[in-house]
Amino acid sequence: MNVIGAILDLLFPPKCAFCRRVVDGAAVCRACEKSLPWTKGEESLRTGADELVCAAPLFYEGTVRDALLRLKFHGADHLAPPLGELLARCAAERFSGEFDAVTWVPVGPGRLKKRGYDQARLLAESACRLWGTAPERLLVKNGDNPAQSGLTDAAARRANVLGMYEIAPGAQVAGRRILLIDDICTTGSTLTECVRTLRSGGAERVFCAVVARTRPEEETQRAGAEKS
Ligand SMILES: [Zn+2]
Protein backbone atom coordinates (compact mmCIF):
# COMPACT_ATOMS: atom_id res chain seq x y z
CA MET A 1 0.00 0.00 0.00
CA ASN A 2 1.30 3.50 -0.77
CA VAL A 3 1.78 6.20 1.89
CA ILE A 4 -1.42 8.08 1.04
CA GLY A 5 -3.38 4.83 1.16
CA ALA A 6 -1.89 4.01 4.55
CA ILE A 7 -2.73 7.47 5.94
CA LEU A 8 -6.29 7.25 4.60
CA ASP A 9 -6.71 3.85 6.23
CA LEU A 10 -5.52 5.32 9.52
CA LEU A 11 -7.94 8.25 9.29
CA PHE A 12 -10.84 6.30 7.79
CA PRO A 13 -10.25 2.64 8.60
CA PRO A 14 -12.25 0.25 6.38
CA LYS A 15 -15.36 -0.95 8.17
CA CYS A 16 -17.56 -4.00 7.80
CA ALA A 17 -20.43 -3.15 5.43
CA PHE A 18 -22.94 -4.66 7.84
CA CYS A 19 -21.98 -3.97 11.48
CA ARG A 20 -19.45 -1.15 10.85
CA ARG A 21 -16.69 -2.80 12.90
CA VAL A 22 -13.22 -1.95 11.64
CA VAL A 23 -11.97 -4.71 9.33
CA ASP A 24 -8.61 -5.61 7.87
CA GLY A 25 -9.23 -5.15 4.14
CA ALA A 26 -12.11 -7.66 4.00
CA ALA A 27 -15.61 -6.68 2.82
CA VAL A 28 -17.19 -8.36 5.83
CA CYS A 29 -15.95 -8.86 9.41
CA ARG A 30 -15.55 -12.38 10.72
CA ALA A 31 -18.62 -12.20 12.96
CA CYS A 32 -20.83 -11.13 10.04
CA GLU A 33 -19.18 -13.67 7.72
CA LYS A 34 -20.54 -16.31 10.11
CA SER A 35 -23.93 -14.83 10.94
CA LEU A 36 -25.18 -13.19 7.72
CA PRO A 37 -28.17 -14.78 5.94
CA TRP A 38 -26.11 -16.28 3.06
CA THR A 39 -27.99 -18.10 0.35
CA LYS A 40 -26.87 -21.73 0.26
CA GLY A 41 -26.51 -24.01 -2.77
CA GLU A 42 -29.42 -23.59 -5.16
CA GLU A 43 -30.82 -20.69 -3.13
CA SER A 44 -28.05 -18.51 -4.60
CA LEU A 45 -29.67 -18.83 -8.02
CA ARG A 46 -33.22 -17.54 -8.26
CA THR A 47 -35.05 -19.15 -11.15
CA GLY A 48 -38.76 -18.58 -11.46
CA ALA A 49 -41.75 -18.95 -13.73
CA ASP A 50 -40.81 -15.53 -15.12
CA GLU A 51 -37.63 -17.12 -16.64
CA LEU A 52 -35.47 -14.74 -14.65
CA VAL A 53 -32.07 -16.20 -13.75
CA CYS A 54 -30.60 -14.20 -10.90
CA ALA A 55 -27.61 -14.88 -8.65
CA ALA A 56 -27.67 -13.50 -5.09
CA PRO A 57 -25.18 -14.14 -2.27
CA LEU A 58 -27.55 -13.01 0.50
CA PHE A 59 -31.15 -12.93 1.60
CA TYR A 60 -32.75 -9.51 1.97
CA GLU A 61 -33.31 -9.31 5.72
CA GLY A 62 -31.84 -7.96 8.97
CA THR A 63 -28.46 -6.24 8.67
CA VAL A 64 -28.34 -6.98 4.91
CA ARG A 65 -31.56 -5.03 4.43
CA ASP A 66 -30.20 -2.19 6.61
CA ALA A 67 -26.96 -1.99 4.58
CA LEU A 68 -28.83 -1.91 1.25
CA LEU A 69 -31.23 0.77 2.52
CA ARG A 70 -28.24 2.87 3.65
CA LEU A 71 -26.68 2.46 0.19
CA LYS A 72 -29.92 3.35 -1.58
CA PHE A 73 -31.51 6.05 0.54
CA HIS A 74 -28.96 7.41 3.02
CA GLY A 75 -25.98 8.40 0.89
CA ALA A 76 -23.79 5.46 1.95
CA ASP A 77 -22.09 5.07 -1.44
CA HIS A 78 -18.95 3.78 0.35
CA LEU A 79 -20.89 0.51 0.81
CA ALA A 80 -20.84 -0.17 -2.95
CA PRO A 81 -17.30 -1.69 -3.04
CA PRO A 82 -17.80 -4.26 -0.25
CA LEU A 83 -21.33 -5.15 -1.37
CA GLY A 84 -20.21 -5.24 -5.01
CA GLU A 85 -17.45 -7.65 -4.01
CA LEU A 86 -19.97 -10.10 -2.50
CA LEU A 87 -22.15 -9.81 -5.61
CA ALA A 88 -19.11 -10.35 -7.87
CA ARG A 89 -18.03 -13.47 -5.97
CA CYS A 90 -21.50 -15.03 -6.35
CA ALA A 91 -21.93 -14.01 -10.02
CA ALA A 92 -18.49 -15.41 -10.88
CA GLU A 93 -19.36 -18.74 -9.23
CA ARG A 94 -22.66 -18.94 -11.07
CA PHE A 95 -21.95 -17.45 -14.51
CA SER A 96 -18.18 -17.59 -15.03
CA GLY A 97 -17.37 -17.34 -18.75
CA GLU A 98 -21.05 -17.06 -19.69
CA PHE A 99 -21.27 -13.29 -20.23
CA ASP A 100 -19.33 -10.82 -22.37
CA ALA A 101 -20.85 -7.54 -21.18
CA VAL A 102 -21.83 -6.12 -17.80
CA THR A 103 -24.52 -3.51 -17.28
CA TRP A 104 -26.86 -2.29 -14.53
CA VAL A 105 -30.50 -1.37 -13.88
CA PRO A 106 -30.45 2.45 -14.17
CA VAL A 107 -32.36 4.80 -11.88
CA GLY A 108 -34.53 7.52 -13.41
CA PRO A 109 -33.15 11.02 -14.05
CA GLY A 110 -35.01 12.70 -11.17
CA ARG A 111 -33.93 10.17 -8.58
CA LEU A 112 -30.35 10.27 -9.86
CA LYS A 113 -30.26 14.03 -9.42
CA LYS A 114 -31.66 13.79 -5.89
CA ARG A 115 -29.44 10.89 -4.79
CA GLY A 116 -26.31 12.00 -6.63
CA TYR A 117 -25.40 8.47 -7.69
CA ASP A 118 -26.87 5.34 -9.18
CA GLN A 119 -26.40 2.55 -6.64
CA ALA A 120 -26.68 -0.30 -9.17
CA ARG A 121 -24.07 1.37 -11.37
CA LEU A 122 -21.71 1.67 -8.37
CA LEU A 123 -22.21 -2.02 -7.61
CA ALA A 124 -21.53 -2.90 -11.27
CA GLU A 125 -18.37 -0.75 -11.26
CA SER A 126 -17.16 -2.38 -8.04
CA ALA A 127 -17.73 -5.88 -9.42
CA CYS A 128 -16.07 -5.01 -12.74
CA ARG A 129 -12.99 -3.56 -11.01
CA LEU A 130 -12.37 -6.99 -9.52
CA TRP A 131 -12.72 -8.55 -12.98
CA GLY A 132 -10.45 -5.96 -14.67
CA THR A 133 -13.25 -4.66 -16.87
CA ALA A 134 -15.86 -1.87 -16.86
CA PRO A 135 -19.65 -1.92 -17.05
CA GLU A 136 -21.40 -0.48 -20.11
CA ARG A 137 -24.50 1.66 -20.14
CA LEU A 138 -26.95 -0.46 -22.15
CA LEU A 139 -30.26 0.73 -20.65
CA VAL A 140 -31.84 4.08 -19.89
CA LYS A 141 -34.90 4.68 -17.77
CA ASN A 142 -37.70 6.83 -19.15
CA GLY A 143 -38.57 9.17 -16.30
CA ASP A 144 -39.23 8.33 -12.66
CA ASN A 145 -41.99 5.93 -11.72
CA PRO A 146 -43.10 5.59 -8.07
CA ALA A 147 -40.49 3.62 -6.06
CA GLN A 148 -41.00 -0.16 -6.29
CA SER A 149 -40.26 -0.39 -2.56
CA GLY A 150 -43.54 1.44 -1.88
CA LEU A 151 -45.57 -1.26 -3.68
CA THR A 152 -46.12 -4.67 -2.12
CA ASP A 153 -48.46 -6.24 -4.66
CA ALA A 154 -46.65 -8.14 -7.45
CA ALA A 155 -49.12 -7.09 -10.17
CA ALA A 156 -48.79 -3.43 -9.18
CA ARG A 157 -45.00 -3.73 -9.27
CA ARG A 158 -45.09 -5.25 -12.76
CA ALA A 159 -47.43 -2.53 -14.04
CA ASN A 160 -45.26 0.14 -12.41
CA VAL A 161 -42.15 -0.79 -14.46
CA LEU A 162 -43.78 -1.77 -17.76
CA GLY A 163 -42.19 0.18 -20.64
CA MET A 164 -39.98 2.18 -18.26
CA TYR A 165 -36.66 1.13 -19.85
CA GLU A 166 -35.15 1.30 -23.31
CA ILE A 167 -31.84 0.52 -24.98
CA ALA A 168 -29.35 3.34 -24.43
CA PRO A 169 -28.56 5.37 -27.59
CA GLY A 170 -25.64 3.77 -29.45
CA ALA A 171 -25.44 0.75 -27.09
CA GLN A 172 -24.28 -2.56 -28.59
CA VAL A 173 -26.76 -5.18 -27.41
CA ALA A 174 -27.44 -7.53 -30.35
CA GLY A 175 -25.94 -11.01 -30.01
CA ARG A 176 -24.34 -10.30 -26.64
CA ARG A 177 -24.50 -12.30 -23.44
CA ILE A 178 -25.13 -9.76 -20.72
CA LEU A 179 -24.78 -9.72 -16.95
CA LEU A 180 -27.35 -7.28 -15.54
CA ILE A 181 -26.65 -5.94 -12.04
CA ASP A 182 -29.05 -4.49 -9.47
CA ASP A 183 -29.08 -4.14 -5.68
CA ILE A 184 -32.12 -6.24 -4.70
CA CYS A 185 -34.47 -8.80 -6.23
CA THR A 186 -37.87 -9.11 -4.55
CA THR A 187 -40.71 -9.96 -6.96
CA GLY A 188 -38.28 -9.69 -9.90
CA SER A 189 -40.53 -7.21 -11.77
CA THR A 190 -37.82 -4.62 -12.47
CA LEU A 191 -35.22 -7.19 -13.56
CA THR A 192 -37.78 -9.02 -15.71
CA GLU A 193 -38.68 -5.77 -17.49
CA CYS A 194 -34.99 -4.93 -18.07
CA VAL A 195 -34.27 -8.44 -19.37
CA ARG A 196 -37.26 -8.17 -21.71
CA THR A 197 -35.95 -4.82 -23.00
CA LEU A 198 -32.43 -6.17 -23.58
CA ARG A 199 -33.79 -9.29 -25.30
CA SER A 200 -35.99 -7.19 -27.57
CA GLY A 201 -32.80 -5.27 -28.44
CA GLY A 202 -31.31 -8.57 -29.64
CA ALA A 203 -29.33 -9.73 -26.57
CA GLU A 204 -28.55 -13.45 -26.85
CA ARG A 205 -28.85 -14.11 -23.12
CA VAL A 206 -29.23 -12.04 -19.98
CA PHE A 207 -28.13 -13.20 -16.54
CA CYS A 208 -28.86 -11.12 -13.45
CA ALA A 209 -26.96 -10.64 -10.20
CA VAL A 210 -27.98 -8.74 -7.09
CA VAL A 211 -26.61 -8.35 -3.57
CA ALA A 212 -29.71 -9.81 -1.95
CA ARG A 213 -32.96 -11.57 -2.80
CA THR A 214 -36.12 -12.26 -0.81
CA ARG A 215 -36.69 -15.81 0.41
CA PRO A 216 -38.68 -18.05 -1.98
CA GLU A 217 -41.56 -18.42 0.54
CA GLU A 218 -42.00 -14.61 0.59
CA GLU A 219 -42.37 -14.62 -3.19
CA THR A 220 -44.99 -17.38 -2.97
CA GLN A 221 -46.89 -15.31 -0.40
CA ARG A 222 -46.86 -12.33 -2.73
CA ALA A 223 -48.03 -14.45 -5.65
CA GLY A 224 -50.82 -15.90 -3.47
CA ALA A 225 -51.91 -12.45 -2.36
CA GLU A 226 -52.01 -11.38 -5.98
CA LYS A 227 -54.35 -14.22 -6.98
CA SER A 228 -56.81 -13.84 -4.09
ZN1 LIG B 1 -19.60 -7.10 10.56
Side-chain angles (χ1 to χ4, degrees), residues 1-2 10 24 42-43 49 60 109 149 176 179 184 201 204 225:
M1 191 188 293
N2 62 27
L10 214 58
D24 185 16
E42 286 311 299
E43 291 172 342
Y60 185 58
S149 48
R176 300 185 81 183
L179 178 69
I184 307 158
E204 189 186 309

Side-chain angles (χ1 to χ4, degrees), residues 15-21 23 27-33 35-36:
K15 289 183 181 154
C16 172
F18 301 95
C19 69
R20 307 191 222 187
R21 278 193 203 103
V23 286
V28 182
C29 76
R30 272 192 214 151
C32 288
E33 185 79 48
S35 65
L36 284 175

Side-chain angles (χ1 to χ4, degrees), residues 181-205:
I181 289 178
D182 203 1
D183 49 0
I184 307 158
C185 180
T186 56
T187 57
S189 311
T190 302
L191 284 171
T192 301
E193 180 62 10
C194 288
V195 170
R196 193 190 63 75
T197 307
L198 289 167
R199 296 275 294 159
S200 70
E204 189 186 309
R205 289 212 60 184

Side-chain angles (χ1 to χ4, degrees), residues 67-97:
L68 283 164
L69 291 177
R70 275 188 282 143
L71 170 66
K72 199 164 183 167
F73 299 113
H74 301 287
D77 53 345
H78 63 277
L79 292 179
L83 297 177
E85 188 182 324
L86 302 182
L87 179 155
R89 219 194 282 170
C90 185
E93 273 168 25
R94 283 299 178 173
F95 309 130
S96 183

